[in-house]
Amino acid sequence: PGTCGRGDSVAFIGCGGFGDAAIAGARLAGAAKIIAVDIDDRKLETAKKMGATHTVNSRSTDPVEAIRALTDGNGADVVIEAVGRPETYQQAFYARDLAGTVVLVGVPTPDMKLELPLLDVFGRGGSLKSSWYGDCLPSRDFPMLVDLHQQGRLDLAAFVTETIGLGDIEQAFARMHDGDVLRSVVVF
């Protein structure tokens, strides 16, 4: 979402459809370290295919400690939270470099609350932001994405797990909920 540059370290908490798209974007932007964090090893394998240089299963490993260890103790320059839960946002906050950026792209429910010591927010500096639809401007970004695809630098087919008919939508939602697919595309 417009915050990753060449040589940066970037961590992604949540490797579903958006997380993997952002991982591919970080690779294209020239990030040096791309750290994928998820609780599902299948999603972490997909993240590697999309360009992750490191993976962390947060079911068995503390993601904050792992991200810090992979960034020489500093934390990542950019941490993208693609889950939308207070716990994972807090992990993102503490896993970023002091001057780094946390980007919230996971959509929380209206009842969710975040509790952070205000002194930590002040003392850690950096930037906290949210991103709607990757801050995309279709008239500018879609032609660029098409060009990248035509150049062979962006494999759009990698984002499609399956093509389905209209009658398969309920089963596709069930597979998505179970983490079995990255993206189902309805074909008419």
Side-chain angles (χ1 to χ4, degrees), residues 4 25 32 45 51 63-64 78 81 85 91 123 130 162 170 172 183 185:
C4 172
E45 283 304 312
V64 175
V78 179
E81 195 281 357
R85 298 199 46 84
Q91 291 169 351
S130 61
E162 63 182 0
E170 289 300 320
R183 184 162 285 119
V185 175

Side-chain angles (χ1 to χ4, degrees), residues 73-136:
N74 299 315
D77 297 310
V78 179
V79 183
I80 296 176
E81 195 281 357
V83 180
R85 298 199 46 84
E87 311 89 288
T88 50
Y89 187 87
Q90 196 169 39
Q91 291 169 351
F93 178 80
Y94 287 110
R96 74 177 165 108
D97 183 79
L98 288 178
T101 301
V102 174
V103 183
L104 174 65
V105 297
V107 181
T109 60
D111 62 316
M112 290 183 177
K113 303 273 188 251
L114 176 66
E115 187 172 323
L116 285 172
L118 197 52
L119 187 58
D120 284 0
V121 175
F122 176 78
R124 293 182 58 80
S127 175
L128 308 174
K129 63 179 279 189
S130 61
S131 176
W132 285 78
Y133 298 100
D135 294 339
C136 177

Side-chain angles (χ1 to χ4, degrees), residues 21-94:
I23 287 169
R27 181 181 47 80
L28 285 168
K33 285 188 181 168
I34 302 172
I35 305 163
V37 178
D38 204 286
I39 60 172
D40 187 330
D41 285 330
R42 296 171 301 172
K43 290 183 179 182
L44 293 171
E45 283 304 312
T46 301
K48 281 184 195 174
K49 293 175 188 166
M50 295 298 185
T53 59
H54 302 81
T55 61
V56 176
N57 186 317
S58 57
R59 224 185 257 287
S60 57
T61 303
D62 180 319
V64 175
E65 288 180 16
I67 292 167
R68 290 192 162 285
L70 290 166
T71 56
D72 300 322
N74 299 315
D77 297 310
V78 179
V79 183
I80 296 176
E81 195 281 357
V83 180
R85 298 199 46 84
E87 311 89 288
T88 50
Y89 187 87
Q90 196 169 39
Q91 291 169 351
F93 178 80
Y94 287 110

Side-chain angles (χ1 to χ4, degrees), residues 122-165:
F122 176 78
R124 293 182 58 80
S127 175
L128 308 174
K129 63 179 279 189
S130 61
S131 176
W132 285 78
Y133 298 100
D135 294 339
C136 177
L137 179 59
S139 61
R140 174 198 66 204
D141 297 336
F142 286 10
M144 175 192 64
L145 294 171
V146 168
D147 285 346
L148 288 169
H149 177 68
Q150 289 176 333
Q151 294 169 20
R153 296 174 58 201
L154 179 61
D155 180 11
L156 295 178
F159 293 96
V160 179
T161 305
E162 63 182 0
T163 56
I164 61 170

